[in-house]
Amino acid sequence: MKDIVFSGVQPTRNLHIGNYIGALKQWAHIQQQHHCYFCIVDEHAITVPQDPKLLRERILTVAAVYLAAGIDPKRSILFIQSEVPQHTELGWLMMTVAKMGELERMTQYKDKSKKGGTVGAGVGLFGYPVLMAADILLYDTTIVPVGEDQLQHVELTRVLARRFNEKFGETFVVPQPLIQKIGARIMSLQKPDAKMSKSDESEMASIFLTDDNDTIRKKIMRAVTDSTTGVTFDPEKKPAVSNLMTIYHHMTGQTMKEIETAYEGKGYGDFKKGLAEAIITHMGPVRDKIEHYLSDPTSLNKILDSGRDKAAAVAEAKMKVVRERMGLGR
Ligand code: TYM
């Protein structure tokens, strides 16, 4: 039987190679066998301040990124969250099922609200995982492929689905997270103990999908390494080099053993040169395709229109059941 897959990316700032390896690359693979929904989660993006004009531009860019990463609109449903209002509707209903304590434990909320303190943090930022649960539950999703940082949110989704089912009768499928073994958490090129993040202030910390070849070379050559020499995979003792090797593995398909053998007796300089070229070879065509899809907004809009209509039909059928089970309306 086919699984139903749902995942999404926020159209905030530039997407980076961590998003690509942790999420997009595995989506392209998973769509070969399963029924997939890939959403541009613009309503999640506004949980932190956004420039409206830039946000609209980024939404289309993310759609182009999905296609460039190999998402096939003939196989998968690609759509924008805010164009299917059932997401916010179910998000609200699930707010009445979630508990404050559960949301207070979410590490992403704790991190994001750290700077200004929880008193000044937006209520939307606090409730964000509940909207994510709604995204997933609307489609009877069985599998949610994400990077490690989203695992806690998928686990909350499972808790909310079970609670709802117990209270109102079997309504939602309880989904499973899908996290890959290598590459679920790509780290910053400058601070190997912090994940590569869209909100990092240093441009040098991330390889963006739009970076040109020289920028990729510069960023990799300046990436921090470990104090001990040798290209060996050991995330505990050599976190920086192991992170670079993880990227290398995803760019070339080579195993860690093969990478170690190729760079045996060589220094970090040689390894970094090889890594930069491997990134350029794999990501260069993706970057060119992003430009190609963005240059044809008519086709892009057609794909998003069709995705919206297909997603909305499924979402509305689910909402009819949910409203009735909860006793809403007439
Ligand atoms: P977002 O936009 O922060 O990230 C998109 C995807 O990229 C993964 N990711 C990473 N993977 C590996 N290494 C990294 N350094 C790295 N940084 C990000 C994320 O885990 C994610 O898979 N809340 C979600 C979006 C969302 C969603 C959903 C996802 C909303 N609704 C429903 C799945 C299902 C988010 O903010 O992702």
Side-chain angles (χ1 to χ4, degrees), residues 5 20 35 39 49 102 115 120 164 196 249 277 291 317:
V5 175
Y20 178 78
H35 184 60
C39 186
E102 287 166 338
K115 282 182 206 146
F164 188 101
M196 189 179 282
H249 158 74
E277 295 317 308
E291 285 310 314

Side-chain angles (χ1 to χ4, degrees), residues 66 125 284 323:
Y66 282 13
L125 189 64
R323 290 182 206 114

Side-chain angles (χ1 to χ4, degrees), residues 8 41 66 82 85 102 120 127 151 156 182 199 242 253 273 290 297 309 322:
V41 290
Y66 282 13
S82 63
E102 287 166 338
L151 183 60
L156 176 73
I182 303 175
S199 51
S242 300
K273 274 189 200 138
I290 297 173
D309 294 346
V322 173

